[in-house]
Amino acid sequence: MELEQIQPPVSNKLLVDYWSNDAEIHAFFDHVYNDEAFIARAAYLQQRNYRTAELAQIIRGYMTPFGISQQTESHLQQLEQGALVVVGGQQTGLLTGPLYSVHKAISVILLAKEKRVQLNTNVVPMFWIAGEDHDIEEINHTYTIMDAQTKKRGYSERSKYKTMASTTVLNQEALTQFIKTTFKDFGETEYTESLLASVLAHAQNSTTFTDFFSRLMNDLFENHGLLMLDATYAPFRDYEKAYFGALIENNEDIAYGVVAQEQKLADAGYNKPIEATENNANLFYVKEGERFLLERKDDRFRNVLAHVNFTKEELLQLANETPQALSNNVVTRPLMQEMTIPVLAFVGGPGELAYWATLKPAFHTLDLQMPIFAPRINITLVTRQVQALLKQKNMTVAEVLDSKIDTKLADFIETIRDNDSRQFIESMQQQLQAQYEHFQQQLQQRYQLSDLLEKNMNYHLRQFQYLQAKIEQQNIEQHGVAIRQYNTLQAQLYPNKGYQERVYSPYVYLNEYGETLIDELLSLQMSISDHHKIVYL
């Protein structure tokens, strides 16, 4: 396994500016990402009081059904004693969802390990599972590679309700079929039998999407002590009571601050990632497993579809007595993390960076400091088959990520084009048109057949076009192996014109290289930076 680091050819403007020392975007955050910021942030956290002993017990309770490794227990004990935390999070997904979920966890673990040494204090890694997200259509599928093309494989069970991932009960028969079909696409290797058996066992012990996700992630990262917590876990919701109260009491100021900051972000040349409104309460009401976004209007909190209309006092009472009936959104989730966890840094992707750029006033409204935002590590995995194809085609991974493979393929097709046949057909077309023109001149003095002659000529021209297309098709088929190789590079490294990590599950690669792949990735000398990591397997 070898590591190469490149400047990514496909860039996100906000992310590029975030890595720049003097860009305007830094005004939207409390910290610039550097060593001095981590020292200052750690000092700030040590002056605040967190209920870490209680939090550690809640996490232990959540993780116990999945199994707590020795390293995980060590991190839990450190958290009990006040360790700082590097947090990253993601919604659940089948087979962990796309690779970037795993890359976030890798980033969290590596950053926690690095800062433990730098700060000479305990820093533990934690994965916040956004089990409250309800867009099941976004998480109920994965992609495989078949015939040098990406292929979507979905979990067949559907629900007409937008229930949260943590309350959506899995159909065991449909889930088993999904797993077996997906693994069949992967192909048989020396690791397939044991890996499939492990995944099926975890599936059989899972009730919801979040259960299944948690079991798989715990299995992959048990040697590294990754702490996990589902945002909907009932004991954690009880722990959040007072903090929901703070969000409700300051609701209007939070909303107004985010709207104003998002406008500043747009004025600075960036998009509006949230499209926030001043009437958005930034809290959901949970009813029978479904989430309903609350709107604040006339000093009341409402949702017409859920048939709820709370006064502030009633919502505060609900938060205190039944906190499970409330859920955070993209604005309040970071605030809740900051109030409940001693967050040294939050690890997120480009989309989350944009959201966080709108939140500084919201943090300050609650007298909180923004934690350091750490852009997650981006990784592209290069299999041995792909390495051989790159060498054969004289291409680099960077060129594929920069869409240069389209040009390479077009150039190749041009070199195999049968120009002799094309020229011969074009010559016949010209002769035919000349003959029709001569014939028309002969007929026009005696007959009115111009339209019929043109129609007849166009018919013959279409036949020439059809013949040319068939020649080109057979020519391409004769060179199908070479064209398939180009398509394989595209499908493996830049599928659907996007990064590999946004499409494929890690199980595509675990099936080929074994379950120790995660441990091997974590042994590489990687750190968070503006470089894209290329890992040659």
Side-chain angles (χ1 to χ4, degrees):
M1 184 177 286
E2 295 181 7
L3 174 66
E4 178 188 4
Q5 303 194 60
I6 65 169
Q7 287 289 347
V10 182
S11 299
N12 174 290
K13 173 176 166 51
L14 196 152
L15 183 58
V16 169
D17 288 353
Y18 187 77
W19 283 116
S20 173
N21 290 330
D22 55 359
E24 187 177 355
I25 193 62
H26 294 302
F28 292 83
F29 296 87
D30 279 336
H31 296 283
V32 177
Y33 188 90
N34 56 35
D35 288 346
E36 291 74 19
F38 279 94
I39 295 171
R41 176 66 178 173
Y44 166 84
L45 291 174
Q46 287 162 0
Q47 296 172 2
R48 299 182 65 87
N49 294 318
Y50 288 91
R51 298 149 57 196
T52 53
E54 186 179 347
L55 177 62
Q57 288 303 316
I58 291 169
I59 295 174
R60 181 179 282 107
Y62 178 71
M63 295 189 68
T64 293
F66 315 131
I68 295 179
S69 68
Q70 183 177 348
Q71 187 60 49
T72 302
E73 178 58 35
S74 175
H75 284 163
L76 284 170
Q77 292 177 13
Q78 290 170 23
L79 181 60
E80 284 178 345
Q81 296 163 13
L84 306 182
V85 185
V86 173
V87 179
Q90 185 61 37
Q91 65 195 60
T92 65
L94 290 177
L95 297 179
T96 78
L99 274 160
Y100 59 69
S101 293
V102 164
H103 296 170
K104 280 185 178 179
I106 289 173
S107 303
V108 166
I109 292 167
L110 291 177
L111 185 59
K113 188 181 298 184
E114 175 188 319
K115 296 309 169 185
R116 175 187 290 261
V117 174
Q118 179 196 344
L119 300 173
N120 193 29
T121 191
N122 286 331
V123 182
V124 299
M126 176 178 169
F127 200 91
W128 174 290
I129 302 169
E132 57 202 355
D133 283 2
H134 58 259
D135 191 353
I136 302 300
E137 291 299 315
E138 189 176 345
I139 66 172
N140 65 357
H141 59 273
T142 190
Y143 290 88
T144 61
I145 303 173
M146 294 290 291
D147 298 323
Q149 302 290 332
T150 56
K151 185 175 183 63
K152 186 176 181 179
R153 288 297 187 187
Y155 165 76
S156 60
E157 186 76 5
R158 292 293 185 272
S159 172
K160 62 182 180 180
Y161 301 108
K162 289 188 175 183
T163 52
M164 299 184 296
S166 293
T167 60
T168 303
V169 176
L170 291 166
N171 180 306
Q172 283 294 330
E173 183 178 347
L175 181 60
T176 299
Q177 184 59 51
F178 161 79
I179 294 169
K180 289 182 176 179
T181 301
T182 301
F183 267 78
K184 186 177 180 181
D185 286 355
F186 293 163
E188 187 78 22
T189 72
E190 60 182 299
Y191 305 108
T192 304
E193 185 177 356
S194 62
L195 187 64
L196 175 58
S198 173
V199 172
L200 287 172
H202 286 312
Q204 290 165 7
N205 290 322
S206 300
T207 304
T208 67
F209 280 94
T210 302
D211 285 342
F212 189 35
F213 177 86
S214 299
R215 290 179 186 278
L216 293 182
M217 290 290 284
N218 191 56
D219 200 21
L220 295 177
F221 292 100
E222 63 178 349
N223 293 334
H224 307 278
L226 181 65
L227 305 182
M228 295 190 301
L229 181 62
D230 175 20
T232 70
Y233 185 50
F236 186 57
R237 279 289 189 249
D238 287 335
Y239 177 84
E240 294 177 310
K241 286 179 181 179
Y243 309 117
F244 271 123
L247 296 175
I248 295 167
E249 290 284 6
N250 296 278
N251 197 269
E252 187 171 354
D253 289 341
I254 290 171
Y256 276 66
V258 170
V259 169
Q261 187 79 339
E262 190 170 37
Q263 184 58 54
K264 289 181 181 178
L265 190 66
D267 293 342
Y270 306 100
N271 295 326
K272 288 187 175 183
I274 299 178
E275 296 289 351
T277 63
E278 293 177 344
N279 290 332
N280 192 335
N282 296 304
L283 290 170
F284 287 92
Y285 174 70
V286 181
K287 181 179 181 180
E288 297 176 356
E290 287 192 82
R291 291 203 306 170
F292 299 89
L293 188 62
L294 293 174
E295 180 187 38
R296 189 189 62 262
K297 190 174 182 181
D298 300 330
D299 295 324
R300 300 185 75 88
F301 296 81
R302 305 174 176 180
N303 185 284
V304 175
L305 293 177
H307 306 292
V308 293
N309 188 350
F310 301 109
T311 64
K312 178 189 285 189
E313 291 70 26
E314 289 170 337
L315 196 61
L316 286 168
Q317 183 178 357
L318 183 72
N320 186 55
E321 296 179 357
T322 318
Q324 293 81 8
L326 294 177
S327 172
N328 295 297
N329 79 339
V330 69
V331 169
T332 52
R333 184 181 297 159
L335 302 176
M336 184 61 78
Q337 287 178 351
E338 178 64 16
M339 290 186 287
T340 57
I341 304 167
V343 181
L344 177 64
F346 176 80
V347 172
E352 288 159 309
L353 177 63
Y355 296 149
W356 277 64
T358 70
L359 300 182
K360 186 175 179 179
F363 276 92
H364 292 184
T365 293
L366 297 175
D367 194 27
L368 301 172
Q369 182 189 87
M370 293 183 78
I372 299 166
F373 188 97
R376 68 169 173 83
I377 294 173
N378 301 99
I379 304 173
T380 292
L381 302 176
V382 187
T383 65
R384 295 180 194 121
Q385 176 203 19
V386 170
Q387 291 174 52
L389 289 177
L390 287 168
K391 184 176 181 180
Q392 181 181 336
K393 302 303 180 186
N394 193 27
M395 293 193 71
T396 66
V397 174
E399 287 177 324
V400 178
L401 298 183
D402 200 21
S403 297
K404 286 186 170 57
I405 196 166
D406 294 334
T407 303
K408 287 273 190 177
L409 179 56
D411 290 345
F412 173 74
I413 291 175
E414 187 61 34
T415 64
I416 65 172
R417 192 183 298 279
D418 188 344
N419 290 321
D420 291 341
S421 296
R422 174 180 288 276
Q423 291 173 3
F424 195 81
I425 290 175
E426 287 177 353
S427 176
M428 288 194 295
Q429 286 178 315
Q430 292 169 2
Q431 292 176 31
L432 179 70
Q433 287 175 306
Q435 290 293 329
Y436 265 99
E437 288 175 6
H438 180 69
F439 191 35
Q440 183 175 4
Q441 290 173 2
Q442 294 292 322
L443 294 178
Q444 66 183 359
Q445 297 177 357
R446 301 173 58 190
Y447 306 105
Q448 301 295 320
L449 296 174
S450 297
D451 290 345
L452 179 60
L453 282 175
E454 183 177 0
K455 181 178 180 181
N456 192 258
M457 180 182 69
N458 288 336
Y459 170 79
H460 288 290
L461 290 176
R462 287 196 299 272
Q463 290 301 305
F464 281 129
Q465 293 169 357
Y466 175 76
L467 177 61
Q468 180 62 45
K470 283 297 182 181
I471 291 172
E472 291 179 356
Q473 178 184 344
Q474 289 196 18
N475 190 38
I476 287 175
E477 288 173 354
Q478 290 172 10
H479 296 85
V481 172
I483 292 173
R484 180 188 175 93
Q485 290 170 342
Y486 282 106
N487 290 334
T488 296
L489 287 175
Q490 178 84 34
Q492 286 273 4
L493 299 177
Y494 201 53
N496 302 332
K497 300 294 184 181
Y499 282 141
Q500 171 199 91
E501 62 184 7
R502 304 196 67 83
V503 177
Y504 299 125
S505 157
Y507 283 87
V508 172
Y509 304 94
L510 293 169
N511 181 67
E512 189 166 352
Y513 293 96
E515 295 179 77
T516 61
L517 177 61
I518 300 298
D519 297 333
E520 293 171 22
L521 288 173
L522 279 159
S523 70
L524 295 173
Q525 295 299 309
M526 291 191 295
S527 62
I528 289 174
S529 72
D530 60 343
H531 284 76
H532 189 95
K533 276 63 174 175
I534 310 297
V535 178
Y536 298 93
L537 302 174

